[in-house]
Amino acid sequence: GLHALTIGAITTMVMGVSIRGGKGHSGRELTTDTKTNLTFILITSTAVTRVISSLLPFDWLLQLSAILWFCHSWLSSSSLFLF
């Protein structure tokens, strides 16, 4: 339970501070785009799915959580460094 909750909390804070710092220090406007918003939605969805998977006996929820985490990782790396 605690591990699953900290996935969402710590990742959200690290991403938020990194994005804010990167935009602020590069002189860009402090707004978010669709990709950034989707990244935060995926982080939250991953954490919620992970918590639910520890409470319910469905193996596919844990797999869904892993897929969401992968999608978040891919989207955040591609949107922050390639575009």
Side-chain angles (χ1 to χ4, degrees), residues 2-37:
L2 180 62
H3 169 74
L5 288 174
T6 57
I7 287 172
I10 292 173
T11 305
T12 300
M13 289 304 298
V14 167
M15 291 294 293
V17 170
S18 299
I19 291 169
R20 166 60 174 92
K23 287 188 175 206
H25 288 292
S26 64
R28 290 184 282 176
E29 190 175 341
L30 298 178
T31 59
T32 60
D33 58 357
T34 303
K35 290 181 183 178
T36 305
N37 293 338

Side-chain angles (χ1 to χ4, degrees), residues 11-83:
T11 305
T12 300
M13 289 304 298
V14 167
M15 291 294 293
V17 170
S18 299
I19 291 169
R20 166 60 174 92
K23 287 188 175 206
H25 288 292
S26 64
R28 290 184 282 176
E29 190 175 341
L30 298 178
T31 59
T32 60
D33 58 357
T34 303
K35 290 181 183 178
T36 305
N37 293 338
L38 184 57
T39 299
F40 283 104
I41 291 169
L42 285 170
I43 292 170
T44 305
S45 300
T46 300
V48 169
T49 306
R50 178 67 179 92
V51 169
I52 292 171
S53 72
S54 66
L55 300 174
L56 298 176
F58 300 120
D59 290 336
W60 62 269
L61 284 171
L62 188 57
Q63 294 168 354
L64 177 62
S65 176
I67 291 168
L68 289 171
W69 184 259
F70 172 79
C71 292
H72 152 260
S73 301
W74 180 83
L75 182 67
S76 64
S77 65
S78 67
S79 67
L80 295 177
F81 299 114
L82 298 177
F83 300 105

